[in-house]
């Protein structure tokens, strides 16, 4: 498991480079989706249908469940945290985080779910990401993505300044 953890740390550095700048959006998206696909194949991902099963299968794609604990399960949604330190932590680059999480969205497509980041480590003062997953085709409108909320909050603060 230590080797997997070290590889994951190096993987995170590469994904940060690929997603940091807006001009890297298209190649970064392809890179992240490719890494997601590779993880799915290496780890032998299987489609799931219930929120709990989706969360557990997503969690299984990581080196340790402690990195990505499931924190709440409802009838239609599984919530989890991403606790591993992110290179975006505290940077304010929530858009870069969104681009990096294409990896998880790609994995959830194959597993049978939808994935959204609700709180990002890129936000100032946030040390764990909060994410939500639902079965594919579920309504997602009530789950506001972190990058959308953060952008709205930043615009509101600029207006009030």
């Amino acid at each position: 498991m230590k080797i997997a953890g070290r590889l994951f740390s190096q993987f995170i550095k590469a994904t940060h480079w690929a997603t940091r700048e807006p001009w890297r959006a298209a190649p970064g998206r392809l890179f992240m989706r490719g890494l997601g696909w590779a993880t799915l194949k290496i780890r032998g991902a299987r489609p799931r249908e219930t929120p709990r099963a989706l969360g557990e299968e997503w969690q299984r794609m990581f080196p340790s469940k402690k990195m990505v604990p499931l924190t709440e399960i409802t009838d239609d949604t599984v919530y989890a945290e991403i606790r591993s330190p992110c290179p975006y932590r505290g940077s304010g680059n929530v858009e870069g985080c969104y681009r990096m999480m294409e990896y998880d969205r790609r994995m959830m497509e194959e597993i049978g779910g939808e994935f959204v980041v609700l709180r990002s480590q890129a936000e100032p003062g946030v040390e764990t990401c909060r994410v939500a997953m639902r079965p594919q085709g579920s309504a997602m409108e009530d789950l506001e993505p972190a990058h959308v909320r953060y952008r709205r909050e930043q615009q509101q603060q600029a207006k009030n300044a």
Side-chain angles (χ1 to χ4, degrees):
M1 226 15 124
K2 287 185 179 187
I3 292 172
R6 284 191 209 127
L7 286 173
F8 190 78
S9 293
Q10 293 305 312
F11 159 82
I12 291 295
K13 289 177 186 175
T15 62
H16 179 244
W17 180 86
T19 60
R20 184 176 51 225
E21 306 297 334
W23 61 269
R24 293 184 189 145
R29 183 174 193 273
L30 290 173
F31 179 67
M32 297 309 298
R33 290 185 66 78
L35 289 173
W37 177 86
T39 300
L40 291 164
K41 298 309 171 200
I42 290 166
R43 303 288 288 179
R46 297 177 301 272
R48 299 291 185 235
E49 294 180 13
T50 67
R52 176 182 296 278
L54 288 170
E56 289 172 351
E57 189 68 359
W58 170 79
Q59 191 181 45
R60 197 175 67 76
M61 299 298 109
F62 291 85
S64 168
K65 290 181 179 184
K66 291 178 184 177
M67 294 172 75
V68 289
L70 305 182
T71 58
E72 181 183 354
I73 301 169
T74 67
D75 289 340
D76 66 348
T77 309
V78 60
Y79 297 91
E81 290 181 346
I82 300 174
R83 293 184 177 167
S84 55
C86 175
Y88 283 111
R89 186 177 280 180
S91 70
N93 189 352
V94 182
E95 298 287 340
C97 166
Y98 175 79
R99 290 187 293 272
M100 181 185 277
M101 300 310 276
E102 187 66 35
Y103 171 80
D104 297 82
R105 289 189 296 276
R106 171 62 183 99
M107 287 194 304
M108 286 309 295
E109 287 173 11
E110 187 94 6
I111 294 168
E114 309 268 349
F115 179 93
V116 63
V117 176
L118 303 173
R119 183 182 67 225
S120 169
Q121 289 184 44
E123 298 174 65
V126 175
E127 293 191 5
T128 59
C129 296
R130 180 165 166 81
V131 301
M133 294 161 268
R134 288 185 176 156
Q136 277 178 349
S138 297
M140 300 292 282
E141 296 80 28
D142 61 315
L143 300 173
E144 185 174 34
H147 72 288
V148 172
R149 177 186 42 76
Y150 187 75
R151 184 182 323 126
R152 180 177 38 78
E153 289 170 356
Q154 294 299 303
Q155 290 169 345
Q156 188 62 41
Q157 285 178 3
K159 250 190 222 179
N160 294 337

